[in-house]
Amino acid sequence: MCETKDRAHVHVHTYNIHFHQDLMTLPNSLAKRKSARTMEVTNVSEYQAIAKEKLPKMVYDYYASGAEDQWTLEENRNAFTRILFRPRILIDVSKIDMTTTIMGFKLSMPIMIAPTAMQKMAHPDGEYATARAASAAGTIMTLSSWATSSVEEVASTGPGIRFFQLYVYKDRNVVAQLVRRAERAGFKAIALTVDTPRLGRREADIKNRFTLPPFLTLKNFEGLDLGKMDEANDSGLASYVAGQIDRTLSWKDVKWLQTITTMPILVKGVITAEDTRLAIQAGAAGIIVSNHGARQLDYVPATIMALEEVVKAAQGRVPVFLDGGVRRGTDVFKALALGASGIFIGRPVVFSLAAEGEAGVRNVLKMLREEFELTMALSGCTSLKEITRDHIVTPWDAPKARPAPRL
Ligand code: GLV
């Protein structure tokens, strides 16, 4: 399935001299020339340091940052560490089945790829590499509206199950055209981002005057004259969002979207029971519990903390997914134990892409898969349906009644 070498030896060097030179010309960038170095990657998180070393500061900071104090950014990770296992023993775990069916599509595992913008800043192969890695791993890639490759280009990389993340622009003709193009290109669902009427305050982007490098475009919008990002005395992306994205977006637009496409709509960015019920009423086919990688409103809870509230409100009517902070197979298991049908990973994709292109993304998917399989085995679960709420204990669980102490 996955052709990634058994032990990933990442060659940290100039992976594409022209691309690297382009990056060196970026204003404010601190593009770095690093000598060749080989290191063994044994877990997903290690790719972040490699990416930091390889990428220009402006690019790395854009991917890595959260909003304001970055409390939620840390909490997305920390919250997982407060959930512990209640493993079951002496169960035959010689065969483990991680397959699942998501939105009607058979996947090799419940680990999917979240939308992350502008992947060609990370590596010249950008979204093509991610699409190929996802399809080799038998899972779904979600393409960002703000990709540096178009829906048609990504479709041309070969077969694969792909979702399209949608930002709703003020100009609804732009949205309608883009949705139609995604549908024609074979995308299977829309992940509608609902937490971004304005861009969150990412202070590194403000300091770096973040803007899309001049040799790249937001490819889906190229023909619509919306593919470039002006430099601003601020974050160029924040200005772009302020100019183009529709702040009036409301539940009626979720209904409108269903009139222009037959693709199912996943509402991405729900973290409360109230909005879960509204999303289902508005016709959502699924919910993605997401805080946008902690890049929008700071001091919202970690997604793993919000998940159970959403799952309970959904009452099994639609599947619930989660993104945010997943770095280990144990995290995947915890999300499923709390009722998620699957999870999405974002930053690990861009960091591994920066480190070693398609091979990096393949390796991330492989490591998470193997860790998840091991977690299932050590918890006594042989299929996803055997993962239950009783396999974990959370800080919000009532203390279990204990036998009275013997006097
Ligand atoms: C894009 O969605 C971003 O968070 O920058």
Side-chain angles (χ1 to χ4, degrees):
M1 198 198 55
C2 216
E3 287 157 29
T4 322
K5 3 181 206 352
D6 271 338
R7 298 189 154 255
H9 286 279
V10 180
H11 234 46
V12 180
H13 61 111
T14 309
Y15 48 85
N16 176 318
I17 194 72
H18 299 295
F19 181 68
H20 197 79
Q21 277 167 354
D22 283 338
L23 287 177
M24 291 291 288
T25 66
L26 288 180
N28 304 317
S29 86
L30 290 179
K32 292 172 184 168
R33 282 178 201 285
K34 285 283 167 190
S35 55
R37 184 169 66 77
T38 301
M39 74 171 276
E40 185 183 345
V41 174
T42 51
N43 68 68
V44 162
S45 299
E46 286 173 357
Y47 277 116
Q48 180 157 359
I50 301 170
K52 185 170 188 182
E53 199 171 79
K54 285 192 80 165
L55 291 172
K57 179 173 164 46
M58 179 194 81
V59 173
Y60 172 78
D61 284 353
Y62 169 69
Y63 293 139
S65 294
E68 299 186 356
D69 297 333
Q70 307 195 119
W71 182 86
T72 299
L73 186 67
E74 284 193 20
E75 182 66 3
N76 267 358
R77 278 298 310 137
N78 290 341
F80 276 111
T81 70
R82 299 193 292 263
I83 298 173
L84 304 179
F85 289 111
R86 299 182 68 249
R88 300 301 308 276
I89 52 167
L90 293 176
I91 292 166
D92 175 353
V93 291
S94 56
K95 288 198 193 69
I96 302 240
D97 178 9
M98 286 179 284
T99 60
T100 187
T101 301
I102 288 188
M103 311 299 291
F105 299 99
K106 187 97 197 243
L107 305 188
S108 71
M109 58 182 178
I111 301 166
M112 298 167 280
I113 293 188
T116 50
M118 306 175 234
Q119 293 183 2
K120 284 192 181 173
M121 293 193 308
H123 188 278
D125 297 341
E127 294 84 4
Y128 308 144
T130 306
R132 291 191 184 110
S135 101
T139 194
I140 290 169
M141 171 201 185
T142 315
L143 183 73
S144 168
S145 273
W146 295 336
T148 39
S149 316
S150 66
V151 284
E152 293 83 5
E153 287 171 330
V154 169
S156 76
T157 60
I161 305 151
R162 297 180 187 115
F163 293 171
F164 182 67
Q165 176 273 334
L166 183 70
Y167 278 119
V168 177
Y169 280 54
K170 288 176 184 166
D171 183 344
R172 293 307 167 87
N173 287 327
V174 166
V175 180
Q177 275 187 49
L178 188 54
V179 167
R180 258 181 244 121
R181 280 170 54 200
E183 197 161 350
R184 267 203 302 270
F187 283 70
K188 301 298 183 203
I190 294 283
L192 175 68
T193 296
V194 293
D195 57 17
T196 310
R198 298 172 59 182
L199 201 71
R201 184 173 170 83
R202 305 148 188 192
E203 291 179 1
D205 292 352
I206 298 170
K207 285 190 182 31
N208 294 333
R209 305 283 184 263
F210 173 79
T211 192
L212 185 64
F215 54 95
L216 295 174
T217 54
L218 303 178
K219 268 289 175 116
N220 287 316
F221 299 97
E222 203 174 40
L224 299 158
D225 229 18
L226 292 166
K228 286 287 177 192
M229 204 175 286
D230 293 333
E231 277 178 44
N233 199 22
D234 187 326
S235 153
L237 183 60
S239 304
Y240 181 87
V241 169
Q244 303 304 335
I245 300 301
D246 191 350
R247 288 184 197 184
T248 73
L249 197 71
S250 70
W251 291 110
K252 70 174 180 347
D253 300 304
V254 178
K255 293 193 175 139
W256 166 75
L257 208 50
Q258 291 162 72
T259 67
I260 65 164
T261 181
T262 57
M263 286 185 280
I265 294 159
L266 308 176
V267 177
K268 174 175 179 286
V270 172
I271 51 172
T272 63
E274 297 90 311
D275 284 337
T276 304
R277 289 189 280 270
L278 290 172
I280 296 170
Q281 271 167 29
I287 306 281
I288 305 178
V289 176
S290 173
N291 53 33
H292 205 127
R295 294 157 74 77
Q296 286 299 105
L297 182 62
D298 200 14
Y299 298 99
V300 293
T303 49
I304 195 69
M305 301 290 289
L307 176 62
E308 199 165 31
E309 171 176 333
V310 171
V311 166
K312 283 186 176 150
Q315 296 179 318
R317 288 172 289 177
V318 297
V320 175
F321 306 100
L322 169 139
D323 70 21
V326 175
R327 300 290 180 272
R328 285 282 188 190
T330 51
D331 300 336
V332 180
F333 187 104
K334 289 170 184 178
L336 266 59
L338 286 168
S341 296
I343 61 88
F344 290 85
I345 49 166
R347 287 189 183 86
V349 171
V350 281
F351 293 148
S352 59
L353 196 54
E356 48 171 4
E358 182 183 333
V361 184
R362 282 183 183 232
N363 196 36
V364 155
L365 292 169
K366 177 174 179 275
M367 286 188 294
L368 278 178
R369 178 187 174 83
E370 288 174 357
E371 287 179 4
F372 179 52
E373 184 180 34
L374 179 61
T375 308
M376 286 179 69
L378 297 180
S379 305
C381 298
T382 63
S383 69
L384 302 193
K385 66 177 186 321
E386 290 177 14
I387 299 175
T388 69
R389 185 62 173 81
D390 288 338
H391 285 96
I392 57 164
V393 58
T394 72
W396 60 93
D397 290 337
K400 288 248 183 296
R402 290 180 202 284
R406 270 196 303 179
L407 297 173

